[in-house]
Amino acid sequence: MRLRIPSQGDDITDHTTQKEQQDVLMRLPDFIQANMQRILDDAVDFAITQAPEGAQLNHKRLRNDIPLILRDIVADLRTPQSAAAQRDKAQGRPADGTGPESAASSHGRSRADDGFGVNQMIAEYRALRASVLHLWAADQALSGDAIDDMMRFNEAIDQAVAESLLEFSRTVESWRNVFLGALGHDLRGPLAAVVGTAELLADTAQGTPHAHQAARILSGGQHLSRLVDGLLDYSKSTLGAGMQLQRTACDLGEAVAAELDLLQTALPEAPLRLQVQGATHGYFDDARIREAVHNLVTNAAKYGQRAAPIDVALTGDARSVRIAVSNAGQPLSSDALHALFDPLRRGSLPAHKGEHASLGLGLFLVREIAIAHGGDVAAHVDEGVTTFVIHLPRGDTPAT
């Protein structure tokens, strides 16, 4: 295989002209454009081997956006590239995102919709890269620009992989949220029947030997209902619907006190201490605030020092109300604190014996409740005491 362009002084012994020799030495973007059908056939043949079992996909569907991906690569190879642009691409920095969706992004989304795994999708790009370079090497006497072409081609393929992977991940996440939302919606009806029946049993069983068992059934059904509501809130928030609030004029001091009274019965081993300073009234969704306090207190009882007091402090000023929940326990690392509010992520600390580690929706919902009120939530550790602080703007009128 020849690796250079013949110079004017070379002796052409195969009876071809210099121009004919240079025509043979085709640059990579020209080769891709001239051999598009061969490359596409190879890509489709490989995609067939990667298709999920039982998927009904024809050749047109499998071909998908590959012609457009190759078109973008050809255009990239023909565009002058600055050193800064080359460095950004090599480091995986995305484009500014102001233009239309790339073919690679569309490819990633459609492969996710068709049930491909992420490894299967990336394998397609690996095969596409190998196909182009092998065909080019087999058909062409490589020119002196071959190395540059190969480097640019590999950078373009890597960029396409990154764009496809990003959109693939977003699509998979979206489908997961749709599934969770559908699951929560379908479970709500049967659970409502269970809880309603359990309430009836608990009322009629009072004073009988079965009162305790009826109360446990009711408590379990109510706990499942809260979990389902949490799943629905999570799926709505992540699908862009946001958390819906029902704001009314209320006093958060009274609302939190009522919630702690109920929690103290469920958590007899952990003394719950409430302190209220300043005005705590305003326009809030007090049911959601009670839910946030419930999640923080039960989280403290589950992962904090057993039987240690859990302090809840409300502080009001002219513009906002601050809710702090503190408990002693094993300190959390800065990385753990940073990830505490990530959804569907278990905490790094083990729950107490007899407790079950949660999916991580509780703290995520606390954050969403705070954000929906125009506030925020943060956590910090000081001398072995972990404190979660919810900051809520008071608001003078109901939010619409």
Side-chain angles (χ1 to χ4, degrees):
M1 180 179 296
R2 286 168 291 182
L3 298 177
R4 66 182 182 87
I5 300 175
S7 66
Q8 292 183 356
D10 286 340
D11 182 18
I12 307 299
T13 58
D14 55 358
H15 307 291
T16 59
T17 66
Q18 182 179 4
K19 182 178 184 304
E20 289 171 335
Q21 283 287 334
Q22 290 176 337
D23 287 342
V24 171
L25 305 179
M26 188 179 295
R27 296 294 296 270
L28 182 53
D30 301 322
F31 176 81
I32 293 174
Q33 191 164 26
N35 294 272
M36 186 74 73
Q37 191 59 49
R38 295 169 62 190
I39 297 169
L40 289 177
D41 289 343
D42 279 356
V44 171
D45 289 343
F46 183 80
I48 290 173
T49 69
Q50 299 298 302
E53 185 177 354
Q56 301 297 320
L57 300 173
N58 55 32
H59 276 234
K60 182 179 179 181
R61 179 69 172 171
L62 286 170
R63 189 177 299 252
N64 199 318
D65 301 289
I66 297 175
L68 299 179
I69 293 172
L70 289 171
R71 180 203 64 188
D72 290 347
I73 290 174
V74 167
D76 182 273
L77 292 174
R78 288 174 173 167
T79 302
Q81 179 173 263
S82 67
Q86 190 278 333
R87 185 171 57 253
D88 289 344
K89 190 184 297 182
Q91 294 175 353
R93 295 177 183 173
D96 58 14
T98 57
E101 180 184 52
S102 70
S105 294
S106 175
H107 183 75
R109 183 176 61 255
S110 64
R111 284 299 189 252
D113 288 338
D114 289 337
F116 280 64
V118 63
N119 290 334
Q120 294 168 311
M121 184 201 67
I122 292 177
E124 287 190 84
Y125 280 105
R126 188 170 62 245
L128 181 62
R129 186 199 312 261
S131 174
V132 170
L133 293 179
H134 287 165
L135 288 173
W136 188 41
D139 284 13
Q140 301 297 313
L142 302 185
S143 73
D145 297 309
I147 299 300
D148 289 339
D149 284 352
M150 287 184 190
M151 291 179 63
R152 290 287 304 272
F153 176 70
N154 282 321
E155 291 168 1
I157 285 285
D158 290 341
Q159 183 71 19
V161 169
E163 293 173 2
S164 286
L165 184 58
L166 178 62
E167 192 59 33
F168 183 95
S169 300
R170 287 173 175 169
T171 303
V172 170
E173 177 70 12
S174 177
W175 278 116
R176 181 175 69 171
N177 296 332
V178 169
F179 167 76
L180 290 174
L183 177 65
H185 183 271
D186 290 345
L187 286 175
R188 244 182 174 174
L191 272 176
V194 170
V195 171
T197 304
E199 289 175 341
L200 178 61
L201 288 174
D203 288 341
T204 57
Q206 290 183 7
T208 71
H210 303 295
H212 181 65
Q213 289 87 341
R216 289 186 63 183
I217 294 173
L218 176 58
S219 177
Q222 291 171 336
H223 181 64
L224 287 174
S225 293
R226 286 193 295 269
L227 288 177
V228 169
D229 289 341
L231 281 176
L232 287 172
D233 288 335
Y234 165 74
S235 61
K236 289 177 182 177
S237 295
T238 51
L239 287 172
M243 179 169 287
Q244 302 299 314
L245 299 180
Q246 300 293 328
R247 295 197 191 214
T248 58
C250 61
D251 188 329
L252 291 186
E254 295 178 358
V256 171
E259 185 63 31
L260 293 184
D261 284 341
L262 294 176
L263 278 169
Q264 189 65 84
T265 303
L267 304 170
E269 294 184 357
L272 305 182
R273 304 187 301 202
L274 174 63
Q275 182 179 12
V276 180
Q277 292 182 339
T280 56
H281 61 274
Y283 285 94
F284 306 100
D285 187 331
D286 58 342
R288 286 295 193 184
I289 301 301
R290 289 181 61 164
E291 179 184 357
V293 172
H294 178 100
N295 289 345
L296 290 177
V297 171
T298 54
N299 186 76
K302 183 181 295 186
Y303 296 103
Q305 182 178 325
R306 182 180 288 277
I310 299 173
D311 293 308
V312 181
L314 275 73
T315 306
D317 58 31
R319 295 185 177 182
S320 63
V321 177
R322 175 181 180 272
I323 304 174
V325 179
S326 304
N327 67 285
Q330 183 176 342
L332 293 169
S333 67
S334 58
D335 289 341
L337 284 172
H338 181 73
L340 275 176
F341 301 99
D342 290 349
L344 302 181
R345 183 164 177 172
R346 296 179 186 273
S348 58
L349 298 180
H352 294 311
K353 185 178 180 181
E355 296 282 357
H356 299 285
S358 67
L359 289 175
L361 284 178
L363 295 181
F364 168 77
L365 293 176
V366 171
R367 184 183 69 182
E368 292 300 301
I369 291 169
I371 292 174
H373 280 85
D376 55 48
V377 60
H380 65 269
V381 178
D382 184 18
E383 296 183 354
V385 176
T386 300
T387 302
F388 288 84
V389 179
I390 305 174
H391 176 264
L392 301 169
R394 187 186 304 277
D396 296 325
T397 57
T400 56

